[in-house]
Amino acid sequence: MATSEKTVLQFVPSSSSLSAKVHPVVIFSICDCYVRRPDQAERVIGTLLGSILPDGTVDIRNSYAVPHNESSDQVALDIDYHHNMYLSHQKVNPKEVIVGWYSTGFGVSGGSALFHDFYSREVANPVHLTVDTGFQNGEAIIKAHTSVNLSLGDRPLAAQFQEIPLDLRLIEAERVGFDILKKTTVDKIPNDLESMEASMERLLALIDDVYKYVDDVVEHRIAPDNRIGRTLADTVASLPKMSPGAFDKLMNDRLQDHLLLLYLTSLTRTQLSLAEKLNTAAQIL
């Protein structure tokens, strides 16, 4: 009895549970490379460096740009520059390896598949990070993708980019710089006191949200969430037990130390500027 074999068109995902985490310094570096790009370049591409965490998350901690040429019918990448940069980086931080590549612009373009194919030979299952440097509506559209293979039976036909979860976490000092980066125009860079004031305003807003959530739970207006409750309990338990007077004294002492450090820094900067001008005047005379 003869049997008929059917050829099935199917997608073969490289990893179904892959996720990525990117550090803010990578975003800052990508935006800086985009500002310094050649005039004829429409976008910037580069290599992502990091490691694979025990839970399988791709931790992206560093990057560097790679020169390239791109046209409607062909693309070219400076492979020697890429390898030299990677070897130099390995001497400084050997624990960081290639985990993927990035490109600026909104979404994936036509030549991205060729670049992704090159990085697939550098590392298994590379992550493609796209950063919209236009910051449309004041928000940075940052996405991570992996390649999904399209095959006809046993024969591979093409590859499709599939978005994966991306985590971008900022500490308060990084958030201040990221908020400035999102603005299209900035009158001046805020000083330390202005940054502290903005951070305290955000902290008060978060405390108000927590108060409102707790009141809603107590009054049975919303259903309680055990995960949020445990997070709030751990946060409160992590605070040291001290009287309001001792807390105010600690805050005032820290503030005075901070102001003294700012004064000494400004004084040193003024002395260096004065010494430079005196030296210039002495050379002229």
Side-chain angles (χ1 to χ4, degrees):
M1 177 176 163
T3 59
S4 60
E5 296 182 357
K6 295 183 178 179
T7 303
V8 180
L9 181 66
Q10 60 182 350
F11 286 100
V12 182
S14 55
S15 178
S16 59
S17 60
L18 188 65
S19 62
K21 181 174 66 174
V22 59
H23 291 240
V25 66
V26 177
I27 307 301
F28 297 152
S29 176
I30 293 174
C31 292
D32 179 70
C33 293
Y34 179 77
V35 173
R36 300 173 185 271
R37 74 189 189 282
D39 295 337
Q40 67 276 11
E42 295 183 358
R43 67 171 180 168
V44 176
I45 71 169
T47 303
L48 298 175
L49 302 171
S51 61
I52 308 298
L53 300 180
D55 60 353
T57 303
V58 180
D59 188 19
I60 305 172
R61 295 195 296 265
N62 214 328
S63 66
Y64 58 84
V66 179
H68 78 287
N69 292 321
E70 192 172 4
S71 61
S72 59
D73 56 347
Q74 63 179 358
V75 296
L77 185 70
D78 194 338
I79 299 178
D80 292 336
Y81 180 88
H82 159 70
H83 288 156
N84 291 334
M85 285 292 295
Y86 179 60
L87 291 176
S88 300
H89 189 85
Q90 281 282 291
K91 295 179 182 179
V92 178
N93 196 341
K95 294 183 179 180
E96 293 185 358
V97 297
I98 299 175
V99 295
W101 67 288
Y102 72 82
S103 67
T104 59
F106 187 77
V108 179
S109 65
S112 297
L114 298 176
F115 291 123
H116 196 82
D117 181 66
F118 166 75
Y119 281 94
S120 297
R121 297 192 295 269
E122 296 289 303
V123 59
N125 195 18
V127 173
H128 176 33
L129 185 72
T130 59
V131 180
D132 180 20
T133 51
F135 286 86
Q136 300 178 4
N137 299 324
E139 295 294 333
I141 302 178
I142 305 171
K143 296 181 180 181
H145 307 80
T146 55
S147 177
V148 179
N149 296 323
L150 174 63
S151 61
L152 182 61
D154 296 333
R155 184 177 62 182
L157 295 180
Q160 180 186 22
F161 287 100
Q162 182 179 29
E163 186 176 353
I164 61 174
L166 178 65
D167 185 14
L168 174 61
R169 294 186 179 182
L170 307 173
I171 63 175
E172 194 57 40
E174 294 169 336
R175 183 173 295 278
V176 173
F178 192 75
D179 291 341
I180 296 175
L181 186 64
K182 292 192 299 183
K183 299 178 181 179
T184 56
T185 58
V186 177
D187 296 333
K188 68 182 184 67
I189 302 297
N191 54 35
D192 293 339
L193 291 179
E194 293 172 345
S195 300
M196 182 183 295
E197 181 181 1
S199 300
M200 295 303 296
E201 290 177 352
R202 281 193 293 267
L203 178 60
L204 290 175
L206 292 175
I207 293 176
D208 290 339
D209 292 340
V210 171
Y211 272 129
K212 184 178 182 302
Y213 172 79
V214 173
D215 290 339
D216 291 340
V217 171
V218 173
E219 298 296 333
H220 302 286
R221 287 191 289 266
I222 61 175
D225 190 332
N226 294 332
R227 181 178 57 84
I228 298 178
R230 286 193 295 268
T231 302
L232 293 177
D234 294 340
T235 303
V236 174
S238 64
L239 297 176
K241 295 182 179 180
M242 61 177 60
S243 62
F247 182 77
D248 290 341
K249 183 178 183 303
L250 178 62
M251 287 296 297
N252 291 331
D253 292 343
R254 293 282 183 89
L255 181 60
Q256 290 177 3
D257 293 341
H258 185 68
L259 292 175
L260 179 60
L261 182 61
L262 290 178
Y263 173 75
L264 293 177
T265 303
S266 177
L267 184 62
T268 303
R269 188 182 300 111
T270 303
Q271 289 180 344
L272 291 175
S273 177
L274 183 61
E276 182 180 359
K277 291 181 179 180
L278 291 176
N279 186 29
T280 303
Q283 292 179 357
I284 294 175
L285 296 177

